[in-house]
Amino acid sequence: MKFKRALVMACAMAAVLAMGSLALAADVIKIAVPSPFTGSAAGYGDNVKAGVVMKVEEVNAKGGVNGKKIEAVYFDEQCDPKEAATVGTKIAGDKDLVAIVGHLCSGAHLAALPNYVRVGVAALSPTATNVTISDKGKDAKGQYWSFRNVYLDDFQGTFLADYMLKQLNLKKVAVFYENNDYGIGLKDAFVKQAKANGLQVVGEEAYMKGATDFTPQLTKLKGAAPEALFIAGYYAEGALIADQAKKLGINVPKFGADGLDNADYIKLAGPAADDTYLTTPFLAETAGPDAKAFIEAYKAKFKRDVDWMSANAYDAAGMIIEAISKVGPDRAKIREYLASINTKEKAFKGITGLTYFNEKGDCVKPAYVKMVKGGQFVPAPKQMTN
Amino acid sequence: MFEQQLFNGLTLGLIYALIAVGYTMVYGVIELINFAHGEVYMLGAFLCITFIQALGVPLFPAMALAMAFCAGIGVLIDQIAYKPLRKAPRLAALITAIGVSIFLQNIAMIIWGSRPVPFTRSAVPAAFSETAFTLGSVNVSGLQVFIYALTIAMMIGLTLIINKTKVGTAMRALAQNATAAALMGINVNRVISFTFALGSGLGAVAGILVGMYYNTLSATMGYNAGVKAFAAAVLGGIGSVPGAMLGGVVLGVAETLGAGYVSSQYRDGLGYAVMIAVILLRPSGLLGKSVGQKA
């Protein structure tokens, strides 16, 4: 009988909670933040969440939007396309969620997108850099529902191939890439540009997310004597590649894109991280005064240095909230507002610089190069502006 | 280059072997595929760095301590999750094992976070990261020497325990026929607990070695390692301890050579292809005995 009583109590409590949230519902505007919060990509999800938390708390501390508080609702999709499709259906069906900051991974974004296009809700990804997303966010009326405030992989890959040859005069490169949408897209653009420029690619090695042992590939590549390693993947595996390359006596500069850009890369790779060059959408040193305040506040709150994902997520949430404050909590109107930010003059001024979208919801943003020196990220001495 | 690849493959294989024996012993005694074993391996690595970082214990005592803790965790898992299901259909215990695995993984994420963390660099002796000696074209690092010495010593120790001690004899008896063993006065539950403790302790050591070797730990590291070690145990003949050792080494070498010479994209696939080929030719695995006996 004890069990029955407990069950009744639990039901009663659940009912009270449900009523409480109903009462609250009128006073808040909800935005969805689908990202990986468990699984092997959870570390990135944490970063995006941190950025959103900073923005939402900041807005709510000032009284919210038109008297209503903003509430971010987090959905865990584990960076897994299957999970993302499920989560996407859930978000699309909940009319209270007026817009989406996400998804984090390109693969997950692509999988969830058809749901958002079907019901018409804007998804602004702070991090998904895959090229193919551009063409998938369109509905029957030709409207794009997918936006992103980050540059694309083809841009990063091309940029790095140019940088390697023109700024550092390197001639032979070996490529590691993660076998997913992100890694392959980045690698393809890089290799294409490298070949066009006469930068010799001496090996292309694929690996799976979560791989830990790269010694077989590195042992093989050592014979080809590359002058640089290009790592088209994320920091957890990238750090291991750098570390194991050093152990095998391959002491060459490493190159990577946004996926390597995380303080944990240095922590994991240790001294092997030195001489790694990265493209980054956000360079604290070149950022304006608003960014400085954000960087300080972030460090005080989370006890770690700000990374580009947090910065981009902060701006993405900022754009969505600005849209809500201008046009109200209406899915279609928010999309219209975002789409109307289409010239440099109308651009959103965030901590990552100016953001404005082209007709496909993509944006043009400058890339910076930073490098690891003495266990620290520092701006690379040679920058390329284009 | 071939020698270097082979040597690196052996290092990986020995670690797989150390995890695989834990699977195979438990299967031998209670016919359960303990999917939570990979998580014990992960916990071993995390406990070790926690002892080093939070309590300032030096590396080797921290390893021993983590091993002891994991032995306890192994026993506890059995007592809480598997013992009540001893008489239930086997599928129930199997699903419970998967549940325990997910539970432990999430506990680890709550305690240590979801980001990968480096192994405490300062605690690892400097000699480990240097080249200890060069054999022909093969560079052997201090850590690799340590991994070889420790894993081989542990496997010899394990073989001695199973073959020469009273509790080892009891384990083998239980594997042959649990009812008959109980009738002979063997305390079945104590032997099962001992088996879990032993396997979990070895798994913990494997986790620590991997953490040191690759210098990274993550809450999800147990899943992949668990599946690999399970494949190694099946390859060698599940239930057979020497089989698990051999299976681990074969899998490690096959994977490394596959990645080095065929395609790094299919490295895991190539490892499993070897396993499937072996199972097709010898359904009971390399050293597994035909149906009727399990140890």
Side-chain angles (χ1 to χ4, degrees):
Chain A
M1 281 306 104
K2 246 185 194 161
F3 175 72
K4 233 180 194 169
R5 199 181 302 157
L7 199 69
V8 170
M9 291 261 289
C11 286
M13 269 161 70
V16 168
L17 278 174
M19 275 176 350
S21 60
L22 274 180
L24 276 173
D27 310 324
V28 299
I29 297 170
K30 290 186 192 168
I31 56 174
V33 184
S35 267
F37 298 115
T38 62
S40 56
Y44 307 115
D46 258 10
N47 294 341
V48 164
K49 187 175 181 177
V52 174
V53 165
M54 292 281 293
K55 177 53 90 179
V56 169
E57 283 185 358
E58 180 190 306
V59 169
N60 286 343
K62 286 181 192 157
V65 172
N66 303 333
K68 290 186 176 178
K69 298 268 192 239
I70 299 289
E71 184 193 335
V73 186
Y74 300 93
F75 293 86
D76 180 19
E77 33 87 323
Q78 302 174 6
C79 188
D80 177 357
K82 290 192 294 291
E83 285 289 324
T86 314
V87 163
T89 318
K90 218 188 281 175
I91 294 172
D94 184 349
K95 291 273 183 309
D96 287 339
L97 299 163
V98 296
I100 298 155
V101 176
H103 294 229
L104 193 152
C105 302
S106 292
H109 192 77
L110 277 168
L113 199 51
N115 295 301
Y116 308 147
V117 171
R118 184 168 44 80
V119 301
V121 55
L124 171 52
S125 171
T127 52
T129 49
N130 185 269
V131 177
T132 58
I133 291 172
S134 306
D135 298 317
K136 301 276 171 66
K138 187 166 67 169
D139 67 11
K141 287 183 218 143
Q143 288 187 314
Y144 281 89
W145 293 92
S146 170
F147 295 88
R148 40 188 164 172
N149 63 337
V150 65
Y151 45 53
L152 310 193
D153 291 335
D154 52 352
F155 172 74
Q156 296 195 79
T158 312
F159 179 91
L160 278 169
D162 283 341
Y163 184 84
M164 230 179 254
L165 193 70
K166 291 179 184 154
Q167 301 288 330
L168 301 178
N169 204 22
L170 298 164
K171 303 244 155 54
K172 260 163 93 180
V173 60
V175 179
F176 275 89
Y177 65 98
E178 185 165 318
N179 202 3
N180 62 10
D181 289 343
Y182 170 71
I184 294 170
L186 188 56
K187 179 222 41 160
D188 284 348
F190 176 85
V191 170
K192 194 174 148 209
Q193 183 75 359
K195 284 187 176 148
N197 280 355
L199 174 67
Q200 195 192 344
V201 178
V202 294
E204 293 176 35
E205 300 289 341
Y207 63 85
M208 304 297 285
K209 179 172 280 310
T212 47
D213 183 27
F214 301 93
T215 42
Q217 298 98 305
L218 287 163
T219 307
K220 185 167 77 176
L221 286 173
K222 199 179 170 185
E227 294 169 15
L229 288 180
F230 175 53
I231 303 166
Y234 297 100
Y235 70 85
E237 293 83 8
L240 295 177
I241 294 172
D243 184 47
Q244 288 167 27
K246 191 182 161 82
K247 280 181 187 150
L248 286 169
I250 306 175
N251 289 312
V252 298
K254 279 80 58 184
F255 292 81
D258 52 345
L260 287 197
D261 188 3
N262 193 298
D264 281 359
Y265 173 76
I266 301 176
K267 239 168 66 192
L268 290 167
D274 267 29
D275 244 3
T276 303
Y277 293 82
L278 306 171
T279 46
T280 176
F282 178 70
L283 206 53
E285 286 75 9
T286 60
D290 277 1
K292 295 263 158 31
F294 167 75
I295 292 163
E296 300 285 310
Y298 186 96
K299 197 161 185 178
K301 186 168 171 71
F302 297 106
K303 312 276 178 281
R304 61 178 193 250
D305 283 328
V306 65
D307 59 287
W308 73 270
M309 286 189 175
S310 300
N312 271 21
Y314 177 83
D315 275 354
M319 291 182 86
I320 298 273
I321 292 170
E322 187 185 272
I324 295 170
S325 74
K326 291 273 164 65
V327 297
D330 178 283
R331 284 179 165 185
K333 284 185 188 156
I334 290 171
R335 186 255 156 207
E336 286 307 315
Y337 182 81
L338 290 175
S340 75
I341 308 175
N342 57 5
T343 63
K344 206 165 193 168
E345 288 68 43
K346 295 187 214 160
F348 174 84
K349 288 172 205 63
I351 53 165
T352 60
L354 299 176
T355 306
Y356 57 98
F357 302 110
N358 68 11
E359 73 286 354
K360 292 183 173 181
D362 295 333
C363 73
V364 182
K365 283 192 139 179
Y368 303 96
V369 182
K370 59 180 188 177
M371 66 180 296
V372 184
K373 213 173 176 181
Q376 296 259 309
F377 280 123
V378 296
K382 289 176 177 166
Q383 295 290 340
M384 205 164 61
T385 41
N386 52 341
Chain B
M1 181 179 125
F2 175 76
E3 293 83 1
Q4 182 79 52
Q5 298 278 30
L6 190 68
F7 186 78
N8 290 338
L10 278 173
T11 315
L12 192 63
L14 282 173
I15 295 175
Y16 285 163
L18 209 52
I19 320 170
V21 291
Y23 268 105
T24 228
M25 282 196 298
V26 166
Y27 185 84
V29 173
I30 57 171
E31 293 193 15
L32 166 73
I33 294 162
N34 179 16
F35 274 112
H37 191 55
E39 269 55 50
V40 173
Y41 150 98
M42 174 269 296
L43 287 176
F46 271 108
L47 284 171
C48 181
I49 64 161
T50 305
F51 292 138
I52 293 171
Q53 282 167 2
L55 308 176
V57 183
L59 177 65
F60 297 111
M63 278 179 80
L65 217 55
M67 196 176 161
F69 257 77
C70 282
I73 292 171
V75 174
L76 212 63
I77 292 173
D78 174 52
Q79 293 292 323
I80 294 172
Y82 305 149
K83 200 178 167 191
L85 296 172
R86 211 76 92 199
K87 301 233 156 32
R90 267 205 256 166
L91 199 57
L94 183 74
I95 291 167
T96 308
I98 295 172
V100 171
S101 155
I102 295 170
F103 173 76
L104 290 178
Q105 207 181 90
N106 283 285
I107 287 283
M109 258 187 226
I110 292 168
I111 302 177
W112 292 289
S114 52
R115 303 149 167 271
V117 295
F119 200 87
T120 320
R121 230 171 272 269
S122 54
V124 180
F128 275 14
S129 51
E130 284 158 20
T131 303
F133 58 88
T134 311
L135 207 79
S137 63
V138 182
N139 284 319
V140 182
S141 73
L143 181 57
Q144 280 177 319
V145 174
F146 179 67
I147 290 176
Y148 271 71
L150 190 64
T151 48
I152 291 172
M154 293 210 141
M155 284 188 222
I156 291 172
L158 177 67
T159 312
L160 289 177
I161 289 176
I162 290 175
N163 290 319
K164 302 282 180 206
T165 63
K166 209 168 165 185
V167 63
T169 313
M171 272 166 71
R172 283 182 292 140
L174 205 60
Q176 286 195 358
N177 190 326
T179 321
L183 289 173
M184 294 301 119
I186 291 172
N187 185 337
V188 173
N189 280 323
R190 251 179 56 199
V191 175
I192 293 173
S193 288
F194 181 77
T195 310
F196 269 93
L198 199 58
S200 301
L202 295 179
V205 172
I208 298 165
L209 291 178
V210 162
M212 269 199 276
Y213 192 48
Y214 296 127
N215 188 37
T216 184
L217 313 178
S218 67
T220 49
M221 69 192 271
Y223 175 76
N224 243 333
V227 173
K228 290 270 170 63
F230 174 57
V234 172
L235 170 62
I238 189 127
S240 154
V241 171
M245 294 174 186
L246 183 65
V249 170
V250 169
L251 195 68
V253 170
E255 245 187 63
T256 309
L257 293 184
Y261 291 100
V262 188
S263 159
S264 54
Q265 196 168 347
Y266 300 112
R267 74 172 288 163
D268 291 354
L270 289 164
Y272 294 129
V274 169
M275 180 194 95
I276 292 168
V278 169
I279 299 291
L280 282 176
L281 294 173
R282 277 186 63 91
S284 50
L286 285 174
L287 299 183
K289 294 186 185 113
S290 47
V291 194
Q293 284 191 338
K294 288 158 287 149

